[in-house]
Amino acid sequence: MTSFSAPKGTFDTLPPDSATFLAVRDALTAPLRRSGYGYIETPVFEDTALFARGVGESTDVVSKEMYTFDDRGGRSLTLRPELTAGLMRAFIEHKLYAGQLPVKLYAVGSNFRYERPQAGRYRHFTQVDMEALGVDDPALDAEVVALGVAGFAELGLTNYELQLTSLGDANCRPQYREKLQEFLAGLDLDEETRRRAAINPLRVLDDKRPEVAAQLTAAPLMVDHLCDDCQKHYDEVREHLTNLGITWKEAPRLVRGLDYYTKTTYEFVHNGLGAQSAIGGGGRYDGLSKELGGPDVSGIGYAVGVDRTLLAMRAEGLVGEPAPRVSAFVVPLGDEARRRGLQILTELRAEGVSSDFAFGGKGLKGAMKAADRSGARYAIVLGERDLAEGAAQLKDLTTAEQRAVPLTDLARTVKELLS
């Protein structure tokens, strides 16, 4: 018979390690929940044109990496390669801009890109994404960056660097674009790179090939050609970050992999991950809403890779043994004990005690082995004699101490012992 395995470049997140994955995800979203960001969930596939227009035709994401298909109605759809475009589509479609601004949203979800699989880079990956839409305020930029920092602080991450720059706006970038294209025209570049320079010359600055990078050392930089408004905006963002005690490294050559960024742009880079060092990043995208048919309002946000962050935590030795699945394990001996044991299980869970049960009619030896494997602190052994006495044997699996506890007090007693 044919056997199946996960597609190349994807992976399964399995217990017990999945508990750590969930803990990382929840820690990254905790600062957002505390800051008034509301959860949003969008389809895992969208109209292909949404990403082509929103992410940018010249990006590798659109030109090389998207999973695109025609559905049965002949519509071209694409598995989302990132979350921002879909969130902006929802913002426009549901007229969220008509209410209080900024609109603060966050999402957690899978994304898909056809890339060469390697450590830290997969074809299926999970991101925490946040967006603050409708207000252009340097203080908001600083809040967004600070929330990213707060998420890493929740996890204890320290060996990372915030890289920061400004990519200007529609007022100053066209003049800079001309200067950069003039510079690139004098370099020894292959035809594909020249085509990229004609569409979006900033993409060339992101070229990691040594033969190209060596020619870019004297390239003009956007941060040196900002208009007065963009310069003022960038100065105020940095002033706010300083006041918040957040340090950064100026990164004038930073070019994110998506075309919609303007003004404040940044990336979180971890020093223990090698070539795939980025664990998150984002920036302002003041023209994206208008580009997608919505009102001309601004936005800023970031995305953090849950998988990448977990790798960073492993690099810093922050991932220990997974927490036990349950705290209590019910071991019934006999048919009547099984019936009463299921009731006890329900009572424990109602008290907030994570609990499991020796299913399958195991004997005492097999049931106690199952209790040990579960990681539970306490086993609740219930036999016919115990039932007759209205009690259960409560065994501490770390000390082997055991005592009888009345059934009427059992759930409360276990809860108090665990607290």
Side-chain angles (χ1 to χ4, degrees), residues 152-226:
F152 296 138
E154 294 262 342
L155 296 167
L157 278 176
T158 58
N159 191 24
Y160 69 91
E161 179 179 77
L162 168 61
Q163 298 184 350
L164 183 72
T165 193
S166 174
L167 291 179
D169 64 7
N171 294 319
C172 52
R173 195 184 292 182
Q175 292 86 347
Y176 166 71
R177 175 191 172 103
E178 291 181 10
K179 292 179 184 295
L180 181 57
Q181 285 180 320
E182 182 180 344
F183 172 83
L184 295 175
L187 303 184
D188 181 19
L189 304 174
D190 58 84
E191 285 303 313
E192 181 179 353
T193 306
R194 290 198 178 281
R195 284 195 296 271
R196 182 180 297 171
I199 299 172
N200 186 351
L202 270 74
R203 304 292 317 137
V204 181
L205 296 180
D206 196 35
D207 200 311
K208 301 299 191 297
R209 291 174 296 173
E211 65 274 19
V212 177
Q215 300 181 68
L216 296 174
T217 55
L221 302 173
M222 182 70 244
V223 75
D224 296 326
H225 295 81
L226 298 176

Side-chain angles (χ1 to χ4, degrees), residues 76 85 208 245 304 316 353:
S76 180
K208 301 299 191 297
V304 174
E316 292 193 31
V353 177

Side-chain angles (χ1 to χ4, degrees), residues 156-352:
L157 278 176
T158 58
N159 191 24
Y160 69 91
E161 179 179 77
L162 168 61
Q163 298 184 350
L164 183 72
T165 193
S166 174
L167 291 179
D169 64 7
N171 294 319
C172 52
R173 195 184 292 182
Q175 292 86 347
Y176 166 71
R177 175 191 172 103
E178 291 181 10
K179 292 179 184 295
L180 181 57
Q181 285 180 320
E182 182 180 344
F183 172 83
L184 295 175
L187 303 184
D188 181 19
L189 304 174
D190 58 84
E191 285 303 313
E192 181 179 353
T193 306
R194 290 198 178 281
R195 284 195 296 271
R196 182 180 297 171
I199 299 172
N200 186 351
L202 270 74
R203 304 292 317 137
V204 181
L205 296 180
D206 196 35
D207 200 311
K208 301 299 191 297
R209 291 174 296 173
E211 65 274 19
V212 177
Q215 300 181 68
L216 296 174
T217 55
L221 302 173
M222 182 70 244
V223 75
D224 296 326
H225 295 81
L226 298 176
C227 62
D228 291 343
D229 287 344
C230 286
Q231 185 65 59
K232 181 175 182 294
H233 186 280
Y234 191 41
D235 290 342
E236 290 186 21
V237 170
R238 291 181 292 184
E239 180 182 2
H240 287 305
L241 291 178
T242 298
N243 292 338
L244 293 174
I246 294 173
T247 59
W248 70 91
K249 177 183 177 181
E250 293 287 342
R253 295 179 180 274
L254 176 62
V255 179
R256 297 281 295 154
L258 312 171
D259 277 357
Y260 47 61
Y261 288 113
T262 60
K263 294 182 181 175
T264 307
T265 306
Y266 59 96
E267 197 160 80
F268 294 105
V269 176
H270 196 273
N271 298 318
L273 296 185
Q276 303 302 328
S277 59
I279 54 178
R284 182 163 283 284
Y285 40 88
D286 288 350
L288 182 57
S289 177
K290 184 178 181 181
E291 176 67 25
L292 297 179
D296 189 8
V297 297
S298 59
I300 183 170
Y302 65 70
V304 174
V306 178
D307 320 294
R308 291 275 186 91
T309 301
L310 185 51
L311 288 176
M313 291 180 64
R314 294 189 190 282
E316 292 193 31
L318 297 173
V319 179
E321 289 296 318
R325 292 187 296 110
V326 295
S327 298
F329 198 93
V330 180
V331 177
L333 304 175
D335 292 340
E336 182 59 30
R338 288 174 59 78
R339 286 189 284 272
R340 184 66 180 94
L342 277 175
Q343 293 176 322
I344 292 171
L345 182 70
T346 302
E347 292 165 6
L348 287 165
R349 291 171 176 173
E351 288 287 345

Side-chain angles (χ1 to χ4, degrees), residues 7-84:
K8 183 178 180 180
T10 68
F11 57 90
D12 299 309
T13 303
L14 306 173
D17 294 333
S18 55
T20 305
F21 178 90
L22 292 175
V24 171
R25 182 198 66 184
D26 292 345
L28 292 173
T29 59
L32 305 177
R33 297 193 299 271
R34 291 195 298 264
S35 303
Y37 285 74
Y39 181 73
I40 180 174
E41 190 161 323
T42 59
V44 76
F45 57 86
E46 299 265 8
D47 190 313
T48 299
L50 173 69
F51 301 115
R53 289 173 58 185
V55 175
E57 295 276 9
S58 68
T59 63
D60 286 347
V61 171
V62 171
S63 63
K64 300 177 181 179
E65 298 171 1
M66 295 202 311
Y67 282 93
T68 298
F69 60 96
D70 289 342
D71 70 2
R72 295 189 179 188
R75 292 171 287 265
S76 180
L77 301 174
T78 295
L79 296 180
R80 62 187 180 201
E82 55 93 57
L83 288 163
T84 297

Side-chain angles (χ1 to χ4, degrees), residues 94-107:
H94 300 287
K95 296 182 173 59
L96 300 184
Y97 51 81
Q100 180 178 340
L101 300 177
V103 175
K104 294 184 171 184
L105 306 170
Y106 81 94

